[in-house]
Amino acid sequence: MSSVPSRRTKKRNAFGATSPPFIDYLKDILRRYPDGGQILKELIQNADDAGASEVVFIHDERTYKKDSLLSEDLGQYQGPALYAYNNAVFTEEDWLGIQATGRSIKRNDPHRVGRFGIGFNSVYHITDVPCIFSSKYIGLLDPQEKIFGDGEGGFRWSLDNDEDRNLLITLRDQFQPLRDIVKQVSDKYMGENHRRGSVFQRDSFSVSFAL
């Protein structure tokens, strides 16, 4: 007689640690990373780890149109916003790290003091949907998965992809805030290359789920 446990027995006897729901984990991160000036410090630290030599924070008090948006629910984010610009460009590793909540890509690098996958999430104290524009990519994060539905936690578009580029042009109101802020800082900080550097956008009037 075989002593190998059956699949049913294995399932009945299954025992092991489980990961918490993502939102619960994010709430715990926010408790460990307080709001206020600490948020700006985290972004400065991330910029320093990326090799940036300049960091600029901008509060845009303008309100933008809501006619052409990815989702009607994004209309609430067309109001005043806080932007953080630095003159370093995201690497593919950085894009992966910003999605890896609680799993920092910096943990094995003694020369990088920050925790990109963790510290960045302090921005959820002041926004539910942060937006990132760096090099050829624009990324929008929705960890609560309320904006796009179907379990989508956000999207990233490439300016080098024809389909993505046409979408960005069609949804003009959605991305007009980024166009305006890039134009504002380009002459002084970006020079002729408007795709150099990284811009983070955070709506300053949203209510974070974790609060």
Side-chain angles (χ1 to χ4, degrees), residues 105-176:
I105 63 173
K106 301 178 183 180
R107 62 184 180 272
N108 296 322
D109 188 343
H111 301 293
R112 303 175 77 179
V113 298
R115 295 182 288 274
F116 212 155
I118 301 175
F120 168 80
N121 289 285
S122 62
V123 303
Y124 289 110
H125 275 300
I126 57 175
T127 185
D128 295 329
V129 186
C131 179
I132 306 110
F133 174 35
S134 186
S135 185
K136 63 182 179 179
Y137 293 112
I138 297 175
L140 195 64
L141 291 165
D142 174 29
Q144 297 183 70
E145 301 180 356
K146 288 186 174 181
I147 301 297
F148 305 111
D150 298 326
E152 297 289 351
F155 289 98
R156 187 180 73 164
W157 302 273
S158 172
L159 299 180
D160 287 346
N161 180 282
D162 289 340
E163 183 177 351
D164 287 355
R165 191 164 54 248
N166 289 334
L167 177 69
L168 299 178
I169 293 173
T170 302
L171 300 175
R172 184 170 184 82
D173 292 345
Q174 182 69 72
F175 299 100
Q176 190 61 45

